[in-house]
Amino acid sequence: MVNLIVGHKGTGKTKMMINLANSRAESSDGHVVFINKNQRLMYDLIHEIRVVCMQDYDEITNSDEYVGFLYGIISSDHDIDAIFIDSILKHADVNTEDIPEFLARLKVISQQHDIDFIVSLSADLDELSDEVQDFNLLKPDGC
C-alpha cells in the first residue's frame, strides 16, 4: 500500500511520519526504513529504524534513479515492512509532474514485495493531479 501525507510546510507532516515510523518499528516483525534529505531527524527515530540520508547520495538525480535506489535497499533486506519517504519533492529533483508516475511505480513495488510506503509531499492536494487522489491520503494534525 502507498500512503500519502500531503500539506504545506509547517502542517505537521514530518512529525506525523516520525510518530508513524516509531510506532511501526515497535509493533512490526519486519524492518522499517526512513528516507530523509539529511540527518536532522536521526535522533527523533528509534534505533531500530534504518535511516537513509539522501544527502549522502547526491548522484541520484531523477525519479528513475531514485526507484533504482529503492530497489537496492529492498534487495539488501528482504525483511522490510515499511519505507517512509519524507518530503519526496526535496529528493533527487523530483517535482510535482513526476509524482503520479513515481507513486504508480511505488504501488507496483509495494505489491511485488509486500512493503508499505508512506510518502510526504509539501504541496496542496489541488496542485497534484487527480491520479494522486487514488492513493490512501493521511492528514497531518495541522491540516
Side-chain angles (χ1 to χ4, degrees):
M1 179 183 295
V2 178
N3 300 284
L4 298 178
I5 302 173
V6 179
H8 286 293
K9 184 176 180 175
T11 55
K13 296 179 304 299
T14 298
K15 182 178 179 183
M16 181 180 185
M17 291 205 42
I18 289 167
N19 292 337
L20 288 171
N22 285 337
S23 176
R24 185 71 173 257
E26 289 172 344
S27 65
S28 175
D29 290 332
H31 298 155
V32 174
V33 176
F34 195 100
I35 302 173
N36 191 36
K37 182 169 175 68
N38 54 40
Q39 296 182 2
R40 182 177 61 91
L41 304 176
M42 184 176 285
Y43 299 107
D44 294 325
L45 298 163
I46 62 175
H47 72 277
E48 289 88 0
I49 296 173
R50 178 176 174 200
V51 179
V52 176
C53 301
M54 291 308 294
Q55 230 172 17
D56 298 336
Y57 302 96
D58 289 336
E59 299 82 18
I60 298 171
T61 59
N62 59 51
S63 60
D64 287 337
E65 292 173 355
Y66 198 92
V67 169
F69 181 71
L70 290 173
Y71 273 117
I73 290 171
I74 293 166
S75 69
S76 69
D77 183 352
H78 296 285
D79 293 326
I80 294 175
D81 183 51
I83 297 177
F84 290 79
I85 304 173
D86 188 31
S87 299
I88 186 59
L89 296 175
K90 294 181 182 177
H91 301 202
D93 296 327
V94 176
N95 58 52
T96 53
E97 292 82 34
D98 299 328
I99 292 300
E101 180 187 346
F102 178 75
L103 294 175
R105 293 172 80 182
L106 288 186
K107 186 175 183 179
V108 170
I109 297 169
S110 173
Q111 292 168 343
Q112 287 175 338
H113 298 281
D114 194 26
I115 295 173
D116 290 335
F117 286 91
I118 301 85
V119 180
S120 73
L121 295 162
S122 289
D124 242 346
L125 201 51
D126 303 356
E127 297 172 43
L128 304 171
S129 74
D130 292 338
E131 299 149 10
V132 170
Q133 299 188 27
D134 292 339
F135 293 91
N136 188 31
L137 294 172
L138 306 173
K139 296 218 184 237
D141 295 334
C143 284

